[in-house]
Amino acid sequence: MFEWSETDEMIRGAVRAFIDKEVRPNLDALDSGEMSPYPVIRKLFSEFGIDVMTGEMVTKMLAKQRAREEALAAGEPLPEKPKKESGGSPFSGQESLMAVLIGELSGVCMGLVSAMGVSIGLGATTIMSRGTLAQKERWLPDIVTMKKVAAWAITEPDSGSDAFGGMKTYVKRDGEDYILNGQKTFITNGPYADVVVVYAKLDEGDGAEKRDRKVLTFVLDKGMEGFTQGKPFKKMGLHSSPTGELFFDNVRLSKDRLLGETEEHKGGDGRDSARSSFTAERVGVAFMALGIINECHRLCIDYAKNRKLWGQEIGRFQLVQLKLAKMEVARINVQNMVFSALERGRAGKQPTLAEASAMKLYASEAATEVAMEAVQLFGGNGYMTEYRVEQLARDAKSLMIYAGSNEIQVTHVAKGLLAQ
């Protein structure tokens, strides 16, 4: 893949029309928190038929899985096995569409992408890949259609980059149930989520080293006794994406809330589930970074053509040209990364964690540099909210922290190289 297809460009035009109508006029309200992102996302899903498409896909997938399980239980011949198992993303086969959608939204209001991406890309995908059929039927249809919002809770106050080793949130067995205690922080959608996927250490009371204890994954619903969702944090950027804390005070969890309903999940413990999500999330950061770069690129070219100083357009000055040229180099590089990821996905070859970390590291740094240079190119205007490049700079910076700080990406890339 070396360029966007005609279909991709048609979708881009339609998405831009939606953004111009529904997002740009409400940017101030979204950025201030006055307007919730979720109705906008639901309207997007409705207008583009994404809710119907994902709903039908999940319904068919679950029906096939139920038919196989019922045939197996009855000792009957199994129905033909689908080419793709039920694990993976709810948007499998629609990666190009989602890349265009994510890129266009990120360049205008990246918080919408974060809210949507965490709900479906992390919340729904984790349930899809690790849940039993009953669990998938219970939660997936509402999440993939955005009828309900999901959160994905792993980060804690003392265990950001050291997500597993420093994890203090724990569960203890209590008969057939589990009792959950602890706290999570920096949780996207946390304040308003209807469904929350929570990672916790299993405390078996045997004095085992805390860092090495098994990690289990549970699904909680809003309003459960002992489960408190904190108010949204005030952040530097991504204002339209609610982020907050979650508190667990002796929350009783029945076994049907443990994903897979077993502590010995065939896909490994919660660490393996999270690592798979990290890979997808980091590739997604490259898609978001491309959106930031494209919008800065567009705004700066337009400004360089129309802003005049000393009787001529500033685009005639070589230092301004240097900034534009570097933006173009960044745009080409990150776009090629995105094209490579899309092409490999179509071929069924997903990137390794190290490769995804490399994409995230480069793309997030490129987007931040481009956005900061955009502010500089606009001069005093660039520091004013009405010109929007200041918002792009604030949002871009989050990409260097989001999905694991860039310092951690370096270690993952290096470990991947040294393990060869």
Side-chain angles (χ1 to χ4, degrees):
M1 181 174 181
F2 61 93
E3 63 182 12
W4 299 105
S5 69
E6 290 186 11
T7 300
D8 293 333
E9 294 299 346
M10 288 176 60
I11 293 170
R12 189 188 311 281
V15 171
R16 286 179 176 175
F18 176 87
I19 289 172
D20 288 342
K21 179 183 177 183
E22 303 293 343
V23 181
R24 291 189 190 277
N26 296 308
L27 274 175
D28 288 335
L30 286 164
D31 210 46
S32 68
E34 175 188 342
M35 184 174 183
S36 169
Y38 308 117
V40 179
I41 298 170
R42 291 182 182 118
K43 190 164 189 177
L44 173 73
F45 272 41
S46 176
E47 289 204 8
F48 284 84
I50 298 173
D51 50 355
V52 174
M53 177 186 72
T54 54
E56 289 180 349
M57 188 198 75
V58 166
T59 298
K60 290 178 181 178
M61 177 196 74
L62 296 179
K64 288 180 180 179
Q65 186 176 349
R66 177 163 290 284
R68 287 178 62 82
E69 291 191 7
E70 289 177 349
L72 186 63
E76 299 172 353
L78 294 177
E80 183 180 351
K81 189 175 182 180
K83 293 181 180 179
K84 287 190 177 182
E85 284 298 314
S86 55
S89 167
F91 292 112
S92 293
Q94 304 293 332
E95 290 84 359
S96 185
L97 180 154
M98 293 310 298
V100 170
L101 183 64
I102 289 170
E104 292 302 319
L105 281 174
S106 295
V108 181
C109 187
M110 198 165 73
L112 290 176
V113 177
S114 295
M116 174 182 68
V118 168
S119 185
I120 296 177
L122 294 180
T125 297
T126 301
I127 296 171
M128 183 178 289
S129 64
R130 297 182 67 84
T132 63
L133 175 60
Q135 289 171 330
K136 294 174 188 178
E137 291 175 334
R138 180 177 180 181
W139 287 298
L140 280 182
D142 284 343
I143 299 175
V144 300
T145 56
M146 286 299 296
K147 290 179 181 177
K148 288 188 176 181
V149 176
W152 192 78
I154 188 169
T155 303
E156 299 183 7
D158 297 322
S159 65
S161 298
D162 184 18
F164 301 122
M167 186 179 291
K168 294 180 180 177
T169 297
Y170 68 93
V171 289
K172 286 188 175 182
R173 299 190 191 93
D174 186 43
E176 291 294 315
D177 296 341
Y178 295 87
I179 304 298
L180 173 68
N181 282 282
Q183 176 184 356
K184 300 291 182 179
T185 193
F186 304 144
I187 306 304
T188 300
N189 297 332
Y192 306 115
D194 303 294
V195 180
V196 183
V197 176
V198 179
Y199 289 79
K201 290 280 185 74
L202 176 62
D203 184 354
E204 299 183 88
D206 56 1
E209 174 62 38
K210 289 183 179 181
R211 295 186 65 85
D212 300 328
R213 288 175 179 168
K214 186 179 298 183
V215 176
L216 301 181
T217 313
F218 294 87
V219 182
L220 278 65
D221 287 304
K222 187 183 188 74
M224 293 181 66
E225 187 176 353
F227 173 35
T228 303
Q229 297 169 258
K231 294 180 180 180
F233 287 138
K234 293 182 179 180
K235 309 190 297 291
M236 175 181 174
L238 287 181
H239 291 171
S240 53
S241 172
T243 306
E245 294 177 292
L246 304 176
F247 303 92
F248 314 107
D249 182 14
N250 290 322
V251 182
R252 180 170 292 277
L253 304 172
S254 51
K255 195 171 183 178
D256 61 356
R257 292 185 177 275
L258 170 63
L259 281 180
E261 295 193 30
T262 175
E263 294 176 9
E264 305 299 331
H265 196 281
K266 64 180 180 180
D269 78 351
R271 290 177 175 84
D272 300 281
S273 163
R275 289 190 185 103
S276 176
S277 296
F278 290 155
T279 299
E281 189 179 23
R282 289 167 189 176
V283 171
V285 166
F287 293 7
M288 296 162 77
L290 181 59
I292 292 280
I293 292 170
N294 279 337
E295 185 71 358
C296 288
H297 187 267
R298 182 187 71 79
L299 291 171
C300 287
I301 290 174
D302 184 66
Y303 194 76
K305 288 180 177 179
N306 292 286
R307 172 69 167 171
K308 290 185 177 181
L309 287 175
W310 295 291
Q312 60 183 323
E313 298 86 0
I314 64 171
R316 293 176 178 268
F317 302 137
Q318 285 187 328
L319 286 178
V320 171
Q321 291 175 357
L322 177 61
K323 292 183 187 299
L324 294 176
K326 287 185 174 180
M327 289 181 189
E328 175 67 356
V329 171
R331 186 193 68 80
I332 292 172
N333 285 342
V334 175
Q335 181 171 267
N336 284 340
M337 282 185 166
V338 167
F339 284 168
S340 175
L342 291 174
E343 197 64 27
R344 290 180 65 178
R346 289 169 180 169
K349 297 180 180 179
Q350 298 304 318
T352 65
L353 178 60
E355 289 170 337
S357 295
M359 289 180 64
K360 192 269 188 189
L361 175 65
Y362 179 84
S364 63
E365 289 183 350
T368 303
E369 182 177 352
V370 165
M372 292 303 294
E373 286 286 33
V375 172
Q376 192 70 23
L377 189 148
F378 272 67
N381 288 333
Y383 207 64
M384 302 295 114
T385 58
E386 64 186 290
Y387 283 84
R388 293 299 170 192
V389 288
E390 67 84 31
Q391 176 204 326
L392 290 169
R394 288 188 285 107
D395 287 353
K397 181 59 182 175
S398 72
L399 295 178
M400 294 179 67
I401 302 168
Y402 190 88
S405 70
N406 276 13
E407 289 75 14
I408 292 300
Q409 309 309 315
V410 171
T411 65
H412 285 157
V413 174
K415 285 178 180 178
L417 293 173
L418 296 170
Q420 292 178 1

